[in-house]
Amino acid sequence: MEVKELGHLVLYVRDIERSARFYRDVLGWRQILPAPGADSNAFAVFNAPSGRTHHELLLIEVGEDAAALPEGRRVGLYHFGLKIGTSDDELREALAKLRETGTPVLGMSDHTATHSLYIADPDGNEIELYVDVPGVDWETPEAIGSPVKPLHL
């Protein structure tokens, strides 16, 4: 077997409307089902504006009484990365949008091959918004194994 690409991500969320607004209105995902404002049936399906595939994100509502993600080091998902471009200008635009929407930035990092902002969705799932750094040969181990440095935009 050979994995060809990461196909989609499924997240449990407490409040489907709140989470759908975040992924749609803050991050710019295109909501496929249900149509925004329609009865959600406790799920929402999205794809990126590129329309690369049938769906890339599925949110499933589990209710306000669902257990929270444990804090600190734990087994399981740390974060997922969303490529938003190939230039620091695009990262600056994202930072402005995050500030405009009141979305806290948890961190900013220079990984040599990528420059990244870290945020969390309304349920605490951490998300890396990144751009590939032009001219970096990311296929060499040195490019992706470099020490993480602070990012200044």
Side-chain angles (χ1 to χ4, degrees), residues 110-114 136-149:
D110 176 348
H111 298 280
T112 303
T114 63
V136 174
D137 179 9
W138 52 267
E139 292 185 5
T140 62
E142 296 79 23
I144 58 173
S146 300
V148 177
K149 301 174 285 289

Side-chain angles (χ1 to χ4, degrees), residues 2-21:
E2 178 183 330
V3 175
K4 305 298 184 200
E5 62 187 31
L6 181 62
H8 62 271
L9 180 66
V10 180
L11 298 174
Y12 290 130
V13 300
R14 285 192 170 93
D15 179 322
I16 194 66
E17 295 303 324
R18 177 183 68 186
S19 293
R21 275 192 310 275

Side-chain angles (χ1 to χ4, degrees), residues 83-126:
K83 181 178 177 179
I84 62 169
T86 57
S87 75
D88 281 349
D89 287 340
E90 290 164 296
L91 207 54
R92 284 185 197 92
E93 289 173 20
L95 182 58
K97 173 74 172 189
L98 296 171
R99 288 178 174 155
E100 174 188 312
T101 61
T103 304
V105 174
L106 306 176
M108 299 181 2
S109 297
D110 176 348
H111 298 280
T112 303
T114 63
H115 288 168
S116 306
L117 302 175
Y118 293 87
I119 62 172
D121 76 3
D123 291 291
N125 295 300
E126 193 167 323

